[in-house]
Amino acid sequence: MTVADHVSAAFPFVRAMSPAARDRLLGAIAPKAVTPGTDLLRPGDPVDGVYLVRGGAIRVYYIEEDGREGTLYWVEPGQSCILALNSLFSEIPYPAFAAADKDGAAFLAIPGGVFRELFSHEPAAQRFLFDQLSVRVFSLLQLLEQRMRLPQEERLIALLLAKADGAGIVALSQDEIARHLGTSREVIARLLRNIANQGLIESGPRRIALGDIERLRARLSRADS
């Protein structure tokens, strides 16, 4: 496959662009890869490009006054960071932290001027941005609702279900889970013990096996209702 084929396969909106616009985009793209934990953006940074994730993930998070972190969302393959897009078009500083997740991140960097130019006359680029916006707004509203309505144990269950792989394994440490949920490792350890004692998970170092996914989903559904 050519570079153009790889990019189009990862980001279908590129295929829908006019040939001239597609050539302009492909000529400006710079492939990048960063190691786990590498900072990409911090609060107050100017945003001068668009990042299209093609491997790994970028974690977007905040830090509270007491130093605790909380995850807002992950930017995963096929996606872009909507906060960065908003900062680019609004010319306002980035409002959060963005760093490569535990497996690092591979992405395509597009200069801001090029993307703004394409956005001004390419419907495919416009649809891509609006699709990213709608998906992210929905997920942020879900996160806000969870924080307002769900007890900590149910919020933990929601995270485990979201991060489990196809075999029902969550490869996160207690410290990482605590950072995602904005709490302490001690609290997470207690909550995991409670859930394990109910026969719903098996917890080990950097590995949590979801033993009864249907019961976990049912538990979350009851809490949401």
PDB file of all heavy atoms in Angstrom, residues 49-74:
ATOM      1  N   GLY A  49      -1.359  22.922  15.010  1.00  0.00           N
ATOM      2  CA  GLY A  49      -1.512  21.790  14.102  1.00  0.00           C
ATOM      3  C   GLY A  49      -2.666  20.893  14.499  1.00  0.00           C
ATOM      4  O   GLY A  49      -3.304  21.086  15.536  1.00  0.00           O
ATOM      5  N   VAL A  50      -2.930  19.919  13.644  1.00  0.00           N
ATOM      6  CA  VAL A  50      -3.962  18.917  13.879  1.00  0.00           C
ATOM      7  C   VAL A  50      -3.273  17.567  13.997  1.00  0.00           C
ATOM      8  O   VAL A  50      -2.367  17.243  13.215  1.00  0.00           O
ATOM      9  CB  VAL A  50      -4.985  18.896  12.722  1.00  0.00           C
ATOM     10  CG1 VAL A  50      -5.974  17.746  12.891  1.00  0.00           C
ATOM     11  CG2 VAL A  50      -5.728  20.227  12.664  1.00  0.00           C
ATOM     12  N   TYR A  51      -3.682  16.772  14.991  1.00  0.00           N
ATOM     13  CA  TYR A  51      -3.065  15.479  15.234  1.00  0.00           C
ATOM     14  C   TYR A  51      -4.077  14.372  14.952  1.00  0.00           C
ATOM     15  O   TYR A  51      -5.097  14.264  15.631  1.00  0.00           O
ATOM     16  CB  TYR A  51      -2.567  15.382  16.679  1.00  0.00           C
ATOM     17  CG  TYR A  51      -1.732  16.571  17.091  1.00  0.00           C
ATOM     18  CD1 TYR A  51      -2.254  17.557  17.936  1.00  0.00           C
ATOM     19  CD2 TYR A  51      -0.438  16.726  16.611  1.00  0.00           C
ATOM     20  CE1 TYR A  51      -1.497  18.659  18.294  1.00  0.00           C
ATOM     21  CE2 TYR A  51       0.328  17.822  16.967  1.00  0.00           C
ATOM     22  CZ  TYR A  51      -0.205  18.785  17.812  1.00  0.00           C
ATOM     23  OH  TYR A  51       0.545  19.885  18.161  1.00  0.00           O
ATOM     24  N   LEU A  52      -3.781  13.540  13.961  1.00  0.00           N
ATOM     25  CA  LEU A  52      -4.636  12.411  13.607  1.00  0.00           C
ATOM     26  C   LEU A  52      -3.982  11.144  14.140  1.00  0.00           C
ATOM     27  O   LEU A  52      -2.921  10.730  13.657  1.00  0.00           O
ATOM     28  CB  LEU A  52      -4.813  12.316  12.092  1.00  0.00           C
ATOM     29  CG  LEU A  52      -5.332  13.570  11.373  1.00  0.00           C
ATOM     30  CD1 LEU A  52      -5.423  13.300   9.873  1.00  0.00           C
ATOM     31  CD2 LEU A  52      -6.683  13.996  11.923  1.00  0.00           C
ATOM     32  N   VAL A  53      -4.574  10.528  15.141  1.00  0.00           N
ATOM     33  CA  VAL A  53      -3.966   9.368  15.793  1.00  0.00           C
ATOM     34  C   VAL A  53      -4.153   8.128  14.925  1.00  0.00           C
ATOM     35  O   VAL A  53      -5.255   7.828  14.479  1.00  0.00           O
ATOM     36  CB  VAL A  53      -4.576   9.149  17.188  1.00  0.00           C
ATOM     37  CG1 VAL A  53      -4.027   7.869  17.817  1.00  0.00           C
ATOM     38  CG2 VAL A  53      -4.270  10.344  18.089  1.00  0.00           C
ATOM     39  N   ARG A  54      -3.065   7.400  14.695  1.00  0.00           N
ATOM     40  CA  ARG A  54      -3.146   6.170  13.902  1.00  0.00           C
ATOM     41  C   ARG A  54      -2.672   4.940  14.664  1.00  0.00           C
ATOM     42  O   ARG A  54      -2.789   3.815  14.173  1.00  0.00           O
ATOM     43  CB  ARG A  54      -2.337   6.313  12.613  1.00  0.00           C
ATOM     44  CG  ARG A  54      -0.866   6.598  12.791  1.00  0.00           C
ATOM     45  CD  ARG A  54      -0.204   6.946  11.458  1.00  0.00           C
ATOM     46  NE  ARG A  54       1.218   7.214  11.592  1.00  0.00           N
ATOM     47  CZ  ARG A  54       2.166   6.280  11.473  1.00  0.00           C
ATOM     48  NH1 ARG A  54       1.835   5.043  11.196  1.00  0.00           N
ATOM     49  NH2 ARG A  54       3.435   6.606  11.601  1.00  0.00           N
ATOM     50  N   GLY A  55      -2.157   5.107  15.877  1.00  0.00           N
ATOM     51  CA  GLY A  55      -1.725   3.987  16.693  1.00  0.00           C
ATOM     52  C   GLY A  55      -1.559   4.409  18.139  1.00  0.00           C
ATOM     53  O   GLY A  55      -1.245   5.566  18.417  1.00  0.00           O
ATOM     54  N   GLY A  56      -1.794   3.476  19.075  1.00  0.00           N
ATOM     55  CA  GLY A  56      -1.728   3.840  20.479  1.00  0.00           C
ATOM     56  C   GLY A  56      -2.874   4.766  20.845  1.00  0.00           C
ATOM     57  O   GLY A  56      -3.969   4.670  20.290  1.00  0.00           O
ATOM     58  N   ALA A  57      -2.612   5.711  21.738  1.00  0.00           N
ATOM     59  CA  ALA A  57      -3.651   6.654  22.146  1.00  0.00           C
ATOM     60  C   ALA A  57      -3.014   7.859  22.820  1.00  0.00           C
ATOM     61  O   ALA A  57      -1.890   7.790  23.333  1.00  0.00           O
ATOM     62  CB  ALA A  57      -4.649   5.998  23.104  1.00  0.00           C
ATOM     63  N   ILE A  58      -3.738   8.966  22.796  1.00  0.00           N
ATOM     64  CA  ILE A  58      -3.351  10.172  23.524  1.00  0.00           C
ATOM     65  C   ILE A  58      -4.355  10.370  24.654  1.00  0.00           C
ATOM     66  O   ILE A  58      -5.568  10.360  24.418  1.00  0.00           O
ATOM     67  CB  ILE A  58      -3.331  11.408  22.607  1.00  0.00           C
ATOM     68  CG1 ILE A  58      -2.243  11.251  21.534  1.00  0.00           C
ATOM     69  CG2 ILE A  58      -3.095  12.689  23.414  1.00  0.00           C
ATOM     70  CD1 ILE A  58      -2.275  12.342  20.480  1.00  0.00           C
ATOM     71  N   ARG A  59      -3.852  10.508  25.861  1.00  0.00           N
ATOM     72  CA  ARG A  59      -4.713  10.735  27.020  1.00  0.00           C
ATOM     73  C   ARG A  59      -4.835  12.232  27.272  1.00  0.00           C
ATOM     74  O   ARG A  59      -3.822  12.935  27.401  1.00  0.00           O
ATOM     75  CB  ARG A  59      -4.133  10.038  28.246  1.00  0.00           C
ATOM     76  CG  ARG A  59      -4.926  10.288  29.531  1.00  0.00           C
ATOM     77  CD  ARG A  59      -4.254   9.604  30.709  1.00  0.00           C
ATOM     78  NE  ARG A  59      -4.907   9.957  31.957  1.00  0.00           N
ATOM     79  CZ  ARG A  59      -4.301  10.469  33.015  1.00  0.00           C
ATOM     80  NH1 ARG A  59      -2.995  10.697  32.995  1.00  0.00           N
ATOM     81  NH2 ARG A  59      -4.978  10.769  34.116  1.00  0.00           N
ATOM     82  N   VAL A  60      -6.055  12.727  27.339  1.00  0.00           N
ATOM     83  CA  VAL A  60      -6.331  14.133  27.635  1.00  0.00           C
ATOM     84  C   VAL A  60      -6.857  14.185  29.067  1.00  0.00           C
ATOM     85  O   VAL A  60      -7.843  13.511  29.398  1.00  0.00           O
ATOM     86  CB  VAL A  60      -7.348  14.727  26.646  1.00  0.00           C
ATOM     87  CG1 VAL A  60      -7.621  16.193  26.980  1.00  0.00           C
ATOM     88  CG2 VAL A  60      -6.826  14.590  25.212  1.00  0.00           C
ATOM     89  N   TYR A  61      -6.209  14.981  29.913  1.00  0.00           N
ATOM     90  CA  TYR A  61      -6.552  14.938  31.328  1.00  0.00           C
ATOM     91  C   TYR A  61      -6.372  16.312  31.975  1.00  0.00           C
ATOM     92  O   TYR A  61      -5.860  17.255  31.366  1.00  0.00           O
ATOM     93  CB  TYR A  61      -5.694  13.904  32.055  1.00  0.00           C
ATOM     94  CG  TYR A  61      -4.210  14.191  32.076  1.00  0.00           C
ATOM     95  CD1 TYR A  61      -3.596  14.730  33.204  1.00  0.00           C
ATOM     96  CD2 TYR A  61      -3.405  13.912  30.976  1.00  0.00           C
ATOM     97  CE1 TYR A  61      -2.234  14.986  33.235  1.00  0.00           C
ATOM     98  CE2 TYR A  61      -2.037  14.163  30.994  1.00  0.00           C
ATOM     99  CZ  TYR A  61      -1.456  14.706  32.122  1.00  0.00           C
ATOM    100  OH  TYR A  61      -0.102  14.968  32.144  1.00  0.00           O
ATOM    101  N   TYR A  62      -6.836  16.406  33.222  1.00  0.00           N
ATOM    102  CA  TYR A  62      -6.691  17.629  34.004  1.00  0.00           C
ATOM    103  C   TYR A  62      -5.996  17.277  35.316  1.00  0.00           C
ATOM    104  O   TYR A  62      -5.913  16.101  35.713  1.00  0.00           O
ATOM    105  CB  TYR A  62      -8.059  18.266  34.291  1.00  0.00           C
ATOM    106  CG  TYR A  62      -8.993  17.366  35.074  1.00  0.00           C
ATOM    107  CD1 TYR A  62      -9.013  17.382  36.464  1.00  0.00           C
ATOM    108  CD2 TYR A  62      -9.856  16.489  34.410  1.00  0.00           C
ATOM    109  CE1 TYR A  62      -9.849  16.552  37.187  1.00  0.00           C
ATOM    110  CE2 TYR A  62     -10.698  15.646  35.113  1.00  0.00           C
ATOM    111  CZ  TYR A  62     -10.692  15.678  36.499  1.00  0.00           C
ATOM    112  OH  TYR A  62     -11.518  14.829  37.199  1.00  0.00           O
ATOM    113  N   ILE A  63      -5.477  18.284  36.003  1.00  0.00           N
ATOM    114  CA  ILE A  63      -4.885  18.109  37.325  1.00  0.00           C
ATOM    115  C   ILE A  63      -5.577  19.078  38.280  1.00  0.00           C
ATOM    116  O   ILE A  63      -5.630  20.289  38.026  1.00  0.00           O
ATOM    117  CB  ILE A  63      -3.370  18.372  37.302  1.00  0.00           C
ATOM    118  CG1 ILE A  63      -2.671  17.377  36.362  1.00  0.00           C
ATOM    119  CG2 ILE A  63      -2.786  18.255  38.714  1.00  0.00           C
ATOM    120  CD1 ILE A  63      -1.165  17.582  36.262  1.00  0.00           C
ATOM    121  N   GLU A  64      -6.112  18.527  39.366  1.00  0.00           N
ATOM    122  CA  GLU A  64      -6.805  19.355  40.344  1.00  0.00           C
ATOM    123  C   GLU A  64      -5.797  20.078  41.243  1.00  0.00           C
ATOM    124  O   GLU A  64      -4.596  19.794  41.210  1.00  0.00           O
ATOM    125  CB  GLU A  64      -7.751  18.481  41.165  1.00  0.00           C
ATOM    126  CG  GLU A  64      -8.870  17.848  40.331  1.00  0.00           C
ATOM    127  CD  GLU A  64      -9.811  17.002  41.151  1.00  0.00           C
ATOM    128  OE1 GLU A  64      -9.430  16.622  42.290  1.00  0.00           O
ATOM    129  OE2 GLU A  64     -10.914  16.700  40.668  1.00  0.00           O
ATOM    130  N   GLU A  65      -6.305  20.993  42.057  1.00  0.00           N
ATOM    131  CA  GLU A  65      -5.424  21.799  42.910  1.00  0.00           C
ATOM    132  C   GLU A  65      -4.629  20.939  43.881  1.00  0.00           C
ATOM    133  O   GLU A  65      -3.519  21.298  44.267  1.00  0.00           O
ATOM    134  CB  GLU A  65      -6.244  22.835  43.676  1.00  0.00           C
ATOM    135  CG  GLU A  65      -6.811  23.951  42.782  1.00  0.00           C
ATOM    136  CD  GLU A  65      -7.531  25.012  43.586  1.00  0.00           C
ATOM    137  OE1 GLU A  65      -7.578  24.877  44.828  1.00  0.00           O
ATOM    138  OE2 GLU A  65      -8.045  25.970  42.977  1.00  0.00           O
ATOM    139  N   ASP A  66      -5.197  19.796  44.304  1.00  0.00           N
ATOM    140  CA  ASP A  66      -4.481  18.936  45.242  1.00  0.00           C
ATOM    141  C   ASP A  66      -3.517  17.982  44.534  1.00  0.00           C
ATOM    142  O   ASP A  66      -2.889  17.130  45.167  1.00  0.00           O
ATOM    143  CB  ASP A  66      -5.463  18.125  46.096  1.00  0.00           C
ATOM    144  CG  ASP A  66      -6.358  17.209  45.267  1.00  0.00           C
ATOM    145  OD1 ASP A  66      -6.168  17.135  44.034  1.00  0.00           O
ATOM    146  OD2 ASP A  66      -7.251  16.562  45.846  1.00  0.00           O
ATOM    147  N   GLY A  67      -3.372  18.135  43.216  1.00  0.00           N
ATOM    148  CA  GLY A  67      -2.420  17.328  42.469  1.00  0.00           C
ATOM    149  C   GLY A  67      -2.991  16.062  41.865  1.00  0.00           C
ATOM    150  O   GLY A  67      -2.287  15.362  41.133  1.00  0.00           O
ATOM    151  N   ARG A  68      -4.244  15.751  42.143  1.00  0.00           N
ATOM    152  CA  ARG A  68      -4.839  14.542  41.577  1.00  0.00           C
ATOM    153  C   ARG A  68      -5.243  14.763  40.127  1.00  0.00           C
ATOM    154  O   ARG A  68      -5.702  15.839  39.753  1.00  0.00           O
ATOM    155  CB  ARG A  68      -6.057  14.106  42.395  1.00  0.00           C
ATOM    156  CG  ARG A  68      -5.698  13.594  43.785  1.00  0.00           C
ATOM    157  CD  ARG A  68      -6.921  13.149  44.551  1.00  0.00           C
ATOM    158  NE  ARG A  68      -6.561  12.664  45.875  1.00  0.00           N
ATOM    159  CZ  ARG A  68      -7.436  12.298  46.802  1.00  0.00           C
ATOM    160  NH1 ARG A  68      -8.733  12.362  46.531  1.00  0.00           N
ATOM    161  NH2 ARG A  68      -7.032  11.870  47.970  1.00  0.00           N
ATOM    162  N   GLU A  69      -5.052  13.709  39.337  1.00  0.00           N
ATOM    163  CA  GLU A  69      -5.390  13.773  37.927  1.00  0.00           C
ATOM    164  C   GLU A  69      -6.771  13.166  37.678  1.00  0.00           C
ATOM    165  O   GLU A  69      -7.276  12.381  38.479  1.00  0.00           O
ATOM    166  CB  GLU A  69      -4.360  12.990  37.090  1.00  0.00           C
ATOM    167  CG  GLU A  69      -2.961  13.542  37.192  1.00  0.00           C
ATOM    168  CD  GLU A  69      -1.977  12.724  36.369  1.00  0.00           C
ATOM    169  OE1 GLU A  69      -2.422  11.834  35.590  1.00  0.00           O
ATOM    170  OE2 GLU A  69      -0.765  12.962  36.491  1.00  0.00           O
ATOM    171  N   GLY A  70      -7.347  13.526  36.549  1.00  0.00           N
ATOM    172  CA  GLY A  70      -8.595  12.931  36.105  1.00  0.00           C
ATOM    173  C   GLY A  70      -8.617  12.920  34.586  1.00  0.00           C
ATOM    174  O   GLY A  70      -8.280  13.928  33.943  1.00  0.00           O
ATOM    175  N   THR A  71      -8.951  11.774  34.006  1.00  0.00           N
ATOM    176  CA  THR A  71      -8.971  11.657  32.549  1.00  0.00           C
ATOM    177  C   THR A  71     -10.257  12.233  31.974  1.00  0.00           C
ATOM    178  O   THR A  71     -11.352  11.906  32.437  1.00  0.00           O
ATOM    179  CB  THR A  71      -8.836  10.182  32.127  1.00  0.00           C
ATOM    180  OG1 THR A  71      -7.592   9.667  32.616  1.00  0.00           O
ATOM    181  CG2 THR A  71      -8.862  10.035  30.612  1.00  0.00           C
ATOM    182  N   LEU A  72     -10.111  13.083  30.967  1.00  0.00           N
ATOM    183  CA  LEU A  72     -11.273  13.594  30.243  1.00  0.00           C
ATOM    184  C   LEU A  72     -11.675  12.638  29.137  1.00  0.00           C
ATOM    185  O   LEU A  72     -12.838  12.286  28.993  1.00  0.00           O
ATOM    186  CB  LEU A  72     -10.964  14.974  29.656  1.00  0.00           C
ATOM    187  CG  LEU A  72     -10.805  16.117  30.655  1.00  0.00           C
ATOM    188  CD1 LEU A  72     -10.243  17.353  29.965  1.00  0.00           C
ATOM    189  CD2 LEU A  72     -12.148  16.436  31.306  1.00  0.00           C
ATOM    190  N   TYR A  73     -10.700  12.201  28.346  1.00  0.00           N
ATOM    191  CA  TYR A  73     -10.967  11.226  27.290  1.00  0.00           C
ATOM    192  C   TYR A  73      -9.649  10.746  26.693  1.00  0.00           C
ATOM    193  O   TYR A  73      -8.583  11.302  26.969  1.00  0.00           O
ATOM    194  CB  TYR A  73     -11.866  11.809  26.183  1.00  0.00           C
ATOM    195  CG  TYR A  73     -11.382  13.086  25.540  1.00  0.00           C
ATOM    196  CD1 TYR A  73     -10.466  13.069  24.494  1.00  0.00           C
ATOM    197  CD2 TYR A  73     -11.868  14.331  25.952  1.00  0.00           C
ATOM    198  CE1 TYR A  73     -10.031  14.241  23.888  1.00  0.00           C
ATOM    199  CE2 TYR A  73     -11.443  15.510  25.354  1.00  0.00           C
ATOM    200  CZ  TYR A  73     -10.526  15.451  24.321  1.00  0.00           C
ATOM    201  OH  TYR A  73     -10.094  16.610  23.725  1.00  0.00           O
ATOM    202  N   TRP A  74      -9.748   9.685  25.893  1.00  0.00           N
ATOM    203  CA  TRP A  74      -8.610   9.197  25.125  1.00  0.00           C
ATOM    204  C   TRP A  74      -8.862   9.491  23.652  1.00  0.00           C
ATOM    205  O   TRP A  74      -9.981   9.318  23.158  1.00  0.00           O
ATOM    206  CB  TRP A  74      -8.424   7.693  25.297  1.00  0.00           C
ATOM    207  CG  TRP A  74      -7.843   7.284  26.615  1.00  0.00           C
ATOM    208  CD1 TRP A  74      -6.521   7.120  26.923  1.00  0.00           C
ATOM    209  CD2 TRP A  74      -8.557   6.970  27.821  1.00  0.00           C
ATOM    210  NE1 TRP A  74      -6.370   6.730  28.228  1.00  0.00           N
ATOM    211  CE2 TRP A  74      -7.608   6.626  28.813  1.00  0.00           C
ATOM    212  CE3 TRP A  74      -9.917   6.948  28.169  1.00  0.00           C
ATOM    213  CZ2 TRP A  74      -7.956   6.259  30.098  1.00  0.00           C
ATOM    214  CZ3 TRP A  74     -10.276   6.593  29.446  1.00  0.00           C
ATOM    215  CH2 TRP A  74      -9.301   6.251  30.402  1.00  0.00           C
TER     216      TRP A  74
END
